[in-house]
Amino acid sequence: MTYRRAAIPALTGGLLLTALLWWAGASAEALHLAGSNGVLGVEVTAELDRWLAPWSYAPTSFMSLGDAGRSGGTGDYLSLYTTAAQIRFAAVFASFVPGALLLVRRLPPVRGRVTASLLAVWAWGMVAGMLAMTVSAPWLIASMGHGSYRLLPQLSGVIASGRQMPVVAALVAAVVTVLVARVTAKGAGPVPQNIVPERATRLAATVGTAVIAVSLAVLSYGPVAAEIQMFSPHDGMFSEPGELLRQWLLLGFWDFPSSAGIGSWLVQRTADALLLAVVWVALRRLPVLLTRATLPAMALGAVGATVLGLLASRLLRIAVDDSGAPYGVPQLFAGLGDGLPAALLFGLVAGGAATVALRTAVGRAEAAGVPDVADVAGVAADRSAPSES
């Protein structure tokens, strides 16, 4: 699929994702209406407000923020918050479109690729929401009136907020993106079917999964995670970076089980194993599904695989641990979207490592005389149909 054909669904999905998140933020005002606590319950209302407030364009609680309210410059702080909201929604669109464009072009939703394309775009939509919160965080923190106090922990808190709504909104945007892409793909010509040596795909999947396992099994181990959390090299505005490092380095947390909690420990480790299994299977299939296994496409595919693995592991934990059920559905699913910064970072590294491993294995297979494998990893001319160039 050409960039021109792929741009239409990518732009459509970006506009829809941005509109859905804006609508979700605007809906936060309804939670402050009289009687909302009585209808939904205090716990459910508070949890939904926590989900929606980060995407609100003008939160009703803004005027009561401590330092901003006492400083006499409330209008300036409100202007900063408005700027943060504008940057946030612009960043959602600007982050989603390039990733969706590349995914739709390299993973067109045609026969045999529809599900993979849908899942990849969905995962990238969640990442786009996290990136939007990250980009707008400095303005949001400044709007609170205490941007110079413990800046890095505040930055970590902002990045971790608002992660639940993009999970739902990105799914809707991904469905629409794929449907539009199927329409624009008509008449584009046949999509090439890559022939990849089995050994090469297994090696690439294993190398990429090993990178993810570094975060999940090594850095997330209790003593190591504690050292990262408590890391603080100096005083001042940029001190206490441990919480921010945890956001970007840890995909989970684990320690050896106690005598009373071995059952729960096994469940948690099963969820971790599911994450790694999802990543391995996705990276194993990715070189065959892509029209060409370029480094950017493999990197975005690995990010998507890591995000989907995190989501699968979280759903497994919810299915076997219903401790949040008495408090309502929002509390039960409050952990959706956890670990997205680390998934982005390690997914990119895993995709790069998998690409190197794939190209190395393909090069060896080509040297050994295995036919029709040279251009799979981009080491020879692209054999795509003319409409795919």
Side-chain angles (χ1 to χ4, degrees):
M1 183 183 290
T2 62
Y3 279 116
R4 183 181 62 183
R5 290 179 181 270
I8 298 174
L11 291 171
T12 303
L15 288 172
L16 180 59
L17 177 61
T18 305
L20 287 173
L21 291 176
W22 180 88
W23 174 78
S27 301
E29 297 293 322
L31 297 175
H32 300 280
L33 296 175
S36 60
N37 289 338
V39 174
L40 300 175
V42 176
E43 294 85 1
V44 173
T45 302
E47 186 65 26
L48 287 177
D49 186 57
R50 192 171 69 88
W51 287 27
L52 300 176
W55 300 100
S56 177
Y57 203 86
T60 56
S61 60
F62 179 82
M63 302 301 290
S64 63
L65 293 176
D67 292 341
R70 291 192 296 268
S71 65
T74 305
D76 294 334
Y77 289 107
L78 182 59
S79 177
L80 280 171
Y81 185 89
T82 302
T83 301
Q86 292 170 345
I87 293 173
R88 187 179 313 128
F89 290 111
V92 169
F93 181 81
S95 300
F96 179 84
V97 171
L101 178 65
L102 179 60
L103 289 171
V104 170
R105 183 170 187 262
R106 291 299 181 192
L107 195 60
V110 295
R111 189 174 183 178
R113 290 178 168 94
V114 176
T115 301
S117 182
L118 174 63
L119 292 175
V121 175
W122 180 25
W124 183 250
M126 295 184 238
V127 174
M130 182 274 297
L131 290 175
M133 295 301 301
T134 303
V135 171
S136 65
W139 286 268
L140 182 62
I141 294 171
S143 71
M144 303 300 178
H146 44 77
S148 61
Y149 173 69
R150 302 184 75 240
L151 175 62
L152 297 183
Q154 290 187 79
L155 184 61
S156 174
V158 173
I159 294 173
S161 66
R163 61 187 181 272
Q164 296 88 0
M165 289 312 303
V167 176
V168 180
L171 178 59
V172 178
V175 171
V176 173
T177 300
V178 168
L179 290 176
V180 175
R182 284 182 63 83
V183 175
T184 59
K186 291 181 179 179
V191 176
Q193 180 66 42
N194 288 325
I195 302 174
V196 190
E198 185 76 15
R199 182 176 298 179
T201 58
R202 288 199 302 265
L203 176 62
T206 302
V207 170
T209 305
V211 173
I212 302 300
V214 169
S215 172
L216 191 63
V218 179
L219 298 182
S220 297
Y221 174 54
V224 179
E227 290 296 326
I228 294 173
Q229 180 78 47
M230 295 185 296
F231 177 69
S232 184
H234 54 77
D235 296 327
M237 185 172 63
F238 295 102
S239 64
E240 302 180 75
E243 179 66 20
L244 186 62
L245 290 174
R246 185 187 68 82
Q247 288 283 337
W248 289 92
L249 295 178
L250 273 60
L251 284 168
F253 178 83
W254 72 278
D255 209 335
F256 291 106
S258 62
S259 57
I262 189 169
S264 175
W265 184 86
L266 287 174
V267 169
Q268 299 296 322
R269 301 294 70 77
T270 302
D272 292 340
L274 177 61
L275 190 161
L276 295 177
V278 169
V279 171
W280 192 90
V281 172
L283 292 179
R284 162 75 174 72
R285 291 286 299 158
L286 194 60
V288 179
L289 293 173
L290 292 170
T291 58
R292 196 177 182 208
T294 61
L295 176 59
M298 286 289 291
L300 257 64
V303 170
T306 310
V307 171
L308 293 173
L310 278 173
L311 191 60
S313 66
R314 174 58 60 180
L315 291 176
L316 176 61
R317 289 187 175 98
I318 292 173
V320 299
D321 182 13
D322 58 353
S323 58
Y327 303 100
V329 174
Q331 284 85 352
L332 192 62
F333 291 92
L336 291 181
D338 283 349
L340 285 177
L344 174 62
L345 176 62
F346 281 91
L348 291 174
V349 177
T355 305
V356 172
L358 181 67
R359 292 185 176 184
T360 301
V362 168
R364 290 176 179 174
E366 183 189 19
V370 178
D372 296 325
V373 298
D375 65 336
V376 170
V379 296
D382 191 358
R383 298 182 303 170
S384 301
S387 59
E388 298 293 318
S389 60

